[in-house]
């Protein structure tokens, strides 16, 4: 996105997905590595992890 100067919506259009899907996926990248690994392992659903990304404190994210 940065290299091409694309917004979430523009990327979603190019990928032919809903812009909310792009927003949620990008939100996962802001999570601590431990939580990202739990998503990759299937221990936490991506939607649940996205909701955790909305919590600002990484320690609180891990506790939740």
């Amino acid at each position: 996105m940065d290299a091409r100067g694309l917004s979430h919506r523009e990327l979603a259009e190019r990928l032919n997905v809903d812009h909310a899907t792009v927003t949620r996926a990008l939100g996962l990248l802001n999570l601590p590595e431990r939580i990202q690994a739990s998503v990759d392992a299937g221990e936490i659903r991506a939607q649940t992890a996205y909701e955790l990304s909305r919590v600002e404190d990484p320690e609180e994210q891990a506790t939740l």
Side-chain angles (χ1 to χ4, degrees):
M1 287 176 48
D2 290 339
R4 300 200 187 269
L6 298 174
S7 68
H8 292 167
R9 287 187 186 276
E10 291 168 330
L11 180 61
E13 283 180 20
R14 288 185 180 206
L15 295 173
N16 199 30
V17 296
D18 186 71
H19 78 278
T21 301
V22 172
T23 300
R24 285 190 300 269
L26 292 173
L28 298 180
L29 296 176
N30 295 322
L31 288 168
E33 199 170 303
R34 186 172 135 206
I35 296 175
Q36 289 183 28
S38 294
V39 173
D40 289 341
E43 298 167 348
I44 299 174
R45 290 183 26 198
Q47 180 62 34
T48 302
Y50 170 71
E51 294 300 328
L52 288 175
S53 76
R54 298 174 68 189
V55 175
E56 290 186 29
D57 180 21
E59 288 189 30
E60 188 175 356
Q61 290 172 341
T63 299
L64 292 171

